Amino acid sequence: MAVGGGADLLRPPRSSGRATFLELFFDLAFVVALTRVSQRFAGLTDDTGWQLVTGCARTLLLFLALWLIWSHTAWITSRYEPERPIIQAVVVGTMFAGLVMAVTLPRAMEERALPFAVAYLLVMVVRPLVVAAALRGHPRRLVPFRLAAWSAATAPLWLAGALGPDDLRLPLWVAALAGDYLAWALGWPLPRLGASAVGRWRIAGTHLADRYQQIFLIALGESILVIGVVFSGTEYSAWRAAAFGVAFATSALLWRIYFHRAGLLLTEALGRAAMPGRLGAASERTHLLVVLSVLVTAVGYELVIDHPYGPPRPSWLLFVVGGPVLFLVARMRLEYEIFGSAPRSQMTGLAALLLLTPALAHGTPMVGLSVVAGALALVALLDALRSRRRPLEFSASPIGQEASGDPDSEA
């Protein structure tokens, strides 16, 4: 039983697992943010060599910073009662900071670096202090204190990168973000206080699963937006219309493959886990890859619809084929997290794409996207054949099923 002041802030055991309207409102800022990430990636399609590598690294860093903000918020609303005014204020404040990061993101590695970094630090440093103050004497208050301490330690790197020379920004921010992710993985250890392993946290597992499914659909919705905007803004031709259709079919196949079995049973798996925090932490990393893969694939849509039979370039292969390859890898990881096994259908599709990639490097974007759609259709077909006339499956996750020892007093 929760003791101490601030216990009323914790999610009660019978709290609804559904996301609140406030959380769905919060996601609107990240619709803008994910669109800006895709736009930055799209701006790299004409680059080659080292310029392409550094451009991808910068955009990936900005995406990872946004993801850390979103995922921390999802965990907060899974641990604390989102209907409480203080938690609602925290979510709205985070939404505003996320929107600032979104609007500065296109030039965040250039002249808008400072507002991006400041918005990020306000969430990472100030927000946990607000939560800790609201928890008052409750033992769990030490968890946000740890987070604030570690974020304050990496803050000088963020600010130095924003205010310093442009050529030092990327390495400084990489070091800062690596510190933030490492702290999360280690449980933000501090002298005397020790660490608070995320895998041992008490969370509303069904709520966290709901949030992961929603962010995937948001990313998928962003890809549909790209398809519609690009096609409506280009000169009509039969080839562009065909590319429009293939791009839509690819997105529909991504949806089908994700929600078949594992994606659909994610809620059940987290709800049944003895230690949902452990499975939730693993699933968080998986969904990072899932969302990133959808964004990268959406850039491929834009390239193919604009120039369906343009000359082959290394950059288009990275987006048109690389995005779906990353998606299949992440989806295989999700399958293991839910069932403890690797699906042959997705392994087959992944092997087909990897084997055909050298040949696709010499083809046109339209041919590449068509082959990708064919490989994904094969995965979906094999999934359907495997499930045909089989009883309804249940999750059998090997992660977080056995609790070792007593949970942390702060968990």
Side-chain angles (χ1 to χ4, degrees), residues 30-94:
F30 282 82
V31 172
V32 179
L34 294 182
T35 301
R36 294 295 178 265
V37 171
S38 286
Q39 288 177 346
R40 275 197 71 106
F41 274 127
L44 304 174
T45 55
D46 291 328
D47 295 341
T48 57
W50 183 246
Q51 190 177 15
L52 177 61
V53 173
T54 56
C56 287
R58 291 177 178 178
T59 305
L60 179 60
L61 183 145
L62 298 176
F63 166 75
L64 291 175
L66 285 167
W67 179 261
L68 199 61
I69 297 296
W70 183 90
S71 56
H72 277 195
T73 306
W75 280 75
I76 285 175
T77 52
S78 291
R79 281 166 61 78
Y80 305 109
E81 179 52 63
E83 298 296 341
R84 295 292 180 184
I86 186 64
I87 299 300
Q88 291 180 338
V90 164
V91 172
V92 172
T94 304

Side-chain angles (χ1 to χ4, degrees), residues 285-355:
R285 294 186 288 271
T286 297
H287 282 80
L288 185 158
L289 297 177
V290 169
V291 171
L292 179 62
S293 69
V294 174
L295 296 181
V296 172
T297 303
V299 177
Y301 297 158
E302 181 174 349
L303 191 154
V304 175
I305 295 174
D306 268 340
H307 307 287
Y309 287 95
R313 290 176 296 183
S315 58
W316 80 258
L317 195 66
L318 174 66
F319 298 113
V320 174
V321 181
V325 164
L326 181 60
F327 174 82
L328 289 176
V329 170
R331 182 57 181 76
M332 289 168 60
R333 177 185 165 103
L334 180 63
E335 187 88 3
Y336 173 78
E337 291 167 358
I338 304 303
F339 296 107
S341 61
R344 293 182 179 178
S345 59
Q346 290 151 38
M347 294 175 63
T348 301
L350 179 61
L353 286 179
L354 292 177
L355 290 173

Side-chain angles (χ1 to χ4, degrees), residues 253-272:
L253 288 166
L254 295 179
W255 165 82
R256 167 64 180 173
I257 294 170
Y258 173 87
F259 279 107
H260 181 75
R261 298 178 77 235
L264 192 62
L265 294 178
L266 179 62
T267 301
E268 176 195 316
L270 275 164
R272 296 175 58 183

Side-chain angles (χ1 to χ4, degrees), residues 115-334:
F116 182 91
V118 168
Y120 175 84
L121 291 175
L122 284 174
V123 176
M124 296 296 292
V125 178
V126 177
R127 181 175 68 177
L129 292 177
V130 172
V131 174
L135 286 169
R136 300 191 293 279
H138 195 278
R140 193 180 286 185
R141 74 190 187 282
L142 296 179
V143 175
F145 269 132
R146 286 186 176 93
L147 198 158
W150 271 86
S151 297
T154 60
L157 293 174
W158 284 104
L159 294 176
L163 297 171
D166 290 351
D167 56 346
L168 292 180
R169 184 164 300 134
L170 180 60
L172 286 172
W173 280 10
V174 166
L177 192 62
D180 290 338
Y181 271 91
L182 179 63
W184 191 7
L186 297 178
W188 304 279
L190 291 177
R192 297 186 180 182
L193 294 179
S196 178
V198 176
R200 302 175 67 86
W201 284 5
R202 299 186 183 97
I203 60 169
T206 54
H207 173 270
L208 193 61
D210 204 29
R211 297 298 288 136
Y212 288 152
Q213 291 167 338
Q214 287 165 358
I215 195 64
F216 166 70
L217 288 174
I218 287 171
L220 208 58
E222 194 277 335
S223 73
I224 296 297
L225 179 64
V226 168
I227 293 171
V229 170
V230 174
F231 184 59
S232 64
T234 58
E235 183 178 342
Y236 177 82
S237 71
W239 295 120
R240 288 195 173 110
F244 170 80
V246 174
F248 176 79
T250 303
S251 284
L253 288 166
L254 295 179
W255 165 82
R256 167 64 180 173
I257 294 170
Y258 173 87
F259 279 107
H260 181 75
R261 298 178 77 235
L264 192 62
L265 294 178
L266 179 62
T267 301
E268 176 195 316
L270 275 164
R272 296 175 58 183
M275 297 185 70
R278 185 175 298 170
L279 178 56
S283 188
E284 180 272 332
R285 294 186 288 271
T286 297
H287 282 80
L288 185 158
L289 297 177
V290 169
V291 171
L292 179 62
S293 69
V294 174
L295 296 181
V296 172
T297 303
V299 177
Y301 297 158
E302 181 174 349
L303 191 154
V304 175
I305 295 174
D306 268 340
H307 307 287
Y309 287 95
R313 290 176 296 183
S315 58
W316 80 258
L317 195 66
L318 174 66
F319 298 113
V320 174
V321 181
V325 164
L326 181 60
F327 174 82
L328 289 176
V329 170
R331 182 57 181 76
M332 289 168 60
R333 177 185 165 103
L334 180 63

